[in-house]
Amino acid sequence: LGEQQAHKTADYLRGQAVDALFVSSMRRARATVKPIGAVLGLEAVPLDEIREVDFGDWTGFHWNEIEPRFGVSAFAW
């Protein structure tokens, strides 16, 4: 699904004036942006500063759901 979305995004951006393309340094993110960069004629610049955070067991939960499930406040973290 992610690959399909990346190709649709590339089609949507085709012909648009884009100066630069930045991407998380995560391998998955770099692979996702490839078709977009190809259409725009840009090499994506990976940046650690925009790298996603892996929340482990907390992933997919709203912060308000963490404390009841795991006994710790995500807000305190």
Side-chain angles (χ1 to χ4, degrees):
L1 177 62
E3 289 177 11
Q4 290 173 352
Q5 291 170 334
H7 286 282
K8 285 183 180 183
T9 301
D11 288 340
Y12 177 79
L13 292 173
R14 189 180 308 276
Q16 298 296 313
V18 177
D19 295 323
L21 187 59
F22 300 100
V23 64
S24 162
S25 58
M26 300 288 284
R27 184 177 9 179
R28 174 190 49 77
R30 291 190 327 257
T32 300
V33 82
K34 271 192 183 271
I36 299 166
V39 163
L40 296 174
L42 294 171
E43 185 76 28
V45 178
L47 297 175
D48 285 335
E49 296 86 3
I50 60 173
R51 186 176 179 154
E52 305 91 319
V53 175
D54 182 355
F55 287 98
D57 291 340
W58 294 4
T59 299
F61 292 101
H62 188 278
W63 282 43
N64 291 325
E65 298 173 307
I66 301 301
E67 190 166 11
R69 283 185 180 268
F70 300 98
V72 63
S73 170
F75 297 101
W77 177 75

